[in-house]
Amino acid sequence: MEGLKGNAGAYTNEMRHDHLITSKQLSRGDIETVLDRAAEIDEDPSAVADRYADTLLGLLFFEPSTRTKMSFETAMKRLGGDVVDMGSVESSSVKKGETLADTVRVIEGYADALVLRHPKQGAAQMASEFVDVPLLNAGDGAGHHPTQTLLDLYTIRENAGLEDLTIGIMGDLKYGRTVHSLAHALTNFDVHQHFISPESLQLPREVVYDLHQEQDGTQIREHESLEEILPSLDVLYVTRIQRERFPDENEYQKVAGEYQIDTDTLEAASDELTIMHPLPRVDEIAPEIDETDHAAYFDQAHNGVPVRMALLDLLLGGDDGGVRDD
Amino acid sequence: MTENDDHQLRVSKIQNGTVIDHVRAGQALNVLAILGIDGSEGEEVSVGMNVPSDRFARKDIVKVEDRELSQDEVDVLSLIAPDATINIVREYDVVEKHRVDRPEVVEGVLSCPNAGCITTDDEPVTSRFEVLDDGVRCAYCGTIVREGIASLIDT
């Protein structure tokens, strides 16, 4: 991405409308622009309350979603706009065999921007080639989830800062799209990344390849155990290990148990450790941690609204007051 | 006797067509697969495998009568036979000689091996692969393929 277009004067010059497909397209400048705008909106949401009164956001969710879908809807409504929702796959034309390419071309005629979640990797990239309105990837299979990344980065910046950071990312790193997107985005900053997972759920080699293209190899480490690295972490980003990734229940229980944390686990951690999770969690973070100062995952989920408001503002906005100029 | 004379004896000369020389040993049949040549059209095809070579210890060579390669074919050929030379033959003489160039992108010739990739669905999309130094990468799902690229050829 060559930039996200800004509504406020300070953001406009070098930016233009575009799609958001993967975090790889985001430069450090792009990321900081979104996070700064999100902070301004968080501070004073009323300043943007009616900015997009005539704007409609099209929601196309081919997979279930609670947080992402509701926070996009909330963000658009808090900006004064509204949403049009394709609804569930079962109730749409997709059930009749319509291609994704056709679906997005129809719905772009109803909306000013589209948000797409789809079970197939590359779906957002392909869909973006068929539409002229901005398209935001809200998750494409095991691929990417860049808007989640922006709210993750916002949360990290608020809690631990993005400079001289040591982060552990733990759980299902193979299929976890939030992990893939976050890892790419973090290469823009001075960050040491430690990836903790069972061998069968390590980062895809494609992601490791990209990380090594972007960053010194010493800043990327893979581990099978949290224990050895926990004391050095500023942030621990936990993801869910899904039962269906394992051939049988016993194997799942054995592996998943090693990647669960509770207050005993945290005795070895820094007092300043920030714990994050994209949610939903099952049992990988014990509820007793919710009440500690470590827990940032509910704030993280709440941050989805100001960050997505900022992103919509930057993608939809412009000196012409929200009308696309390309 | 030179190396060239030697293999000319093994593989007959053609009157008009293409000689693909300096193919990595073992890849000749994949070259034919890329070109969609299986002999069913009646074309005259000669294949030399593990022929002694100055440049490599052994090489393969493919000669196809009455067939000149398109740029798309040469592009894909470059992925499995990066050192190949393409000789266009007319009336028994080599009239053009090209080295293959690796393109930055190949479109529409390979299919993505990732069953989770959108290009494997019934969508109106042409496959697109970025060419890396040591493989190819799907422009949609990001899957990198280093081995067995010939098996991805969409025939």
Side-chain angles (χ1 to χ4, degrees):
Chain A
M1 175 175 285
E2 292 180 25
L4 301 164
K5 182 138 185 152
N7 200 347
Y11 302 123
T12 51
N13 288 341
E14 78 282 16
M15 297 183 165
R16 64 181 187 84
H17 298 298
D18 216 330
H19 307 297
L20 179 58
I21 308 300
T22 108
S23 65
K24 283 195 270 186
Q25 68 193 94
L26 296 172
S27 67
R28 180 180 176 132
D30 289 331
I31 292 167
E32 287 174 341
T33 299
V34 177
L35 304 194
D36 290 347
R37 187 82 188 109
E40 287 173 13
I41 289 172
D42 217 357
E43 184 87 6
D44 182 14
S46 63
V48 290
D50 297 318
R51 183 166 285 170
Y52 294 94
D54 297 321
T55 302
L56 285 174
L57 183 64
L59 303 179
L60 299 91
F61 281 73
F62 291 76
E63 277 186 331
S65 168
T66 304
R67 280 154 298 279
T68 304
K69 188 172 174 178
M70 287 187 72
S71 71
F72 262 117
E73 187 166 354
T74 305
M76 193 69 251
K77 288 180 174 174
R78 289 207 183 283
L79 288 166
D82 208 338
V83 298
V84 283
D85 185 350
M86 181 186 83
S88 70
V89 167
E90 282 66 31
S91 64
S92 73
S93 296
V94 177
K95 195 71 179 169
K96 300 174 187 166
E98 185 173 59
T99 62
L100 174 61
D102 280 1
T103 304
V104 294
R105 278 181 288 188
V106 169
I107 298 182
E108 80 161 327
Y110 308 153
D112 300 289
L114 302 178
V115 178
L116 173 67
R117 170 168 291 185
H118 196 277
K120 290 282 188 159
Q121 275 174 267
Q125 173 62 41
M126 188 207 76
S128 73
E129 294 172 7
F130 287 91
V131 298
D132 291 323
V133 299
L135 184 141
L136 294 97
N137 183 6
D140 60 333
H144 301 273
H145 195 353
T147 68
Q148 174 75 39
T149 293
L150 288 164
L151 73 91
D152 290 344
L153 294 171
Y154 186 78
T155 308
I156 293 170
R157 191 171 80 167
E158 279 197 323
N159 285 275
L162 279 163
E163 289 308 322
D164 192 21
L165 175 77
T166 301
I167 185 170
I169 302 180
M170 182 169 84
D172 180 353
L173 310 184
K174 183 173 184 180
Y175 299 100
R177 57 194 171 203
T178 63
V179 170
H180 306 161
S181 281
L182 179 61
H184 282 299
L186 285 171
T187 61
N188 286 293
F189 300 90
D190 179 18
V191 174
H192 284 81
Q193 302 194 61
H194 296 273
F195 298 96
I196 307 130
S197 71
E199 192 179 0
S200 61
L201 294 177
Q202 283 181 337
L203 278 180
R205 295 304 94 183
E206 282 78 5
V207 176
V208 175
Y209 172 89
D210 283 333
L211 298 181
H212 283 280
Q213 297 283 312
E214 297 298 327
Q215 210 160 25
D216 176 356
T218 63
Q219 291 181 281
I220 311 289
R221 292 276 169 81
E222 295 181 271
H223 311 263
E224 284 191 45
S225 159
L226 174 64
E227 198 179 353
E228 59 187 281
I229 198 67
L230 179 61
S232 67
L233 299 181
D234 301 309
V235 173
L236 176 60
Y237 189 98
V238 184
T239 66
R240 184 162 53 103
I241 292 182
Q242 295 181 54
R243 201 171 298 251
E244 57 267 31
R245 306 296 182 208
F246 291 86
D248 62 62
E249 180 70 19
N250 283 346
E251 183 71 7
Y252 163 73
Q253 290 295 350
K254 197 173 103 190
V255 170
E258 292 177 33
Y259 299 91
Q260 290 166 353
I261 56 169
D262 54 23
T263 46
D264 288 343
T265 320
L266 295 184
E267 282 178 12
S270 154
D271 291 344
E272 306 296 318
L273 176 70
T274 297
I275 297 176
M276 295 171 61
H277 192 303
L279 304 180
R281 70 171 156 176
V282 182
D283 48 14
E284 54 276 13
I285 299 177
E288 64 199 30
I289 294 179
D290 299 356
E291 305 309 320
T292 70
D293 290 339
H294 297 297
Y297 28 91
F298 292 114
D299 284 342
Q300 182 184 354
H302 299 161
N303 288 338
V305 174
V307 169
R308 290 186 170 109
M309 286 172 79
L311 193 56
L312 290 170
D313 184 26
L314 294 164
L315 283 167
L316 292 164
D319 295 333
D320 53 5
V323 179
R324 287 176 55 74
D325 62 4
D326 58 352
Chain B
M1 184 177 282
T2 66
E3 175 222 316
N4 202 42
D5 293 334
D6 182 47
H7 74 244
Q8 291 294 341
L9 293 176
R10 294 166 195 251
V11 183
S12 63
K13 284 195 170 189
I14 59 173
Q15 183 176 359
N16 293 296
T18 305
V19 177
I20 305 159
D21 199 358
H22 301 108
V23 175
R24 285 184 183 172
Q27 293 294 335
L29 297 180
N30 287 328
V31 167
L32 289 174
I34 288 173
L35 304 181
I37 293 171
D38 59 8
S40 61
E41 304 293 316
E43 64 275 59
E44 200 174 303
V45 181
S46 308
V47 176
M49 298 177 97
N50 295 320
V51 175
S53 162
D54 287 340
R55 200 186 301 172
F56 317 116
R58 298 277 171 177
K59 67 176 182 182
D60 288 359
I61 182 166
V62 175
K63 299 187 177 191
V64 188
E65 192 81 44
D66 294 327
R67 175 78 184 265
E68 294 186 12
L69 302 190
S70 69
Q71 189 59 47
D72 277 355
E73 288 172 325
V74 173
D75 281 353
V76 183
L77 200 58
S78 71
L79 302 178
I80 64 159
D83 307 299
T85 37
I86 312 284
N87 302 303
I88 306 297
V89 178
R90 292 183 192 135
E91 291 303 324
Y92 298 106
D93 286 330
V94 174
V95 294
E96 291 174 35
K97 197 171 185 109
H98 314 283
R99 295 291 293 273
V100 297
D101 284 325
R102 285 170 79 78
E104 290 183 9
V105 172
V106 287
E107 287 192 75
V109 279
L110 303 175
S111 54
C112 185
N114 174 11
C117 177
I118 189 71
T119 62
T120 65
D121 272 7
D122 192 19
E123 294 287 343
V125 62
T126 303
S127 75
R128 189 164 73 243
F129 285 78
E130 177 193 350
V131 178
L132 310 175
D133 289 342
D134 59 348
V136 292
R137 177 173 214 173
C138 176
Y140 291 91
C141 72
T143 294
I144 296 176
V145 183
R146 294 193 170 85
E147 306 288 332
I149 292 169
S151 68
L152 305 182
I153 294 164
D154 206 359
T155 49

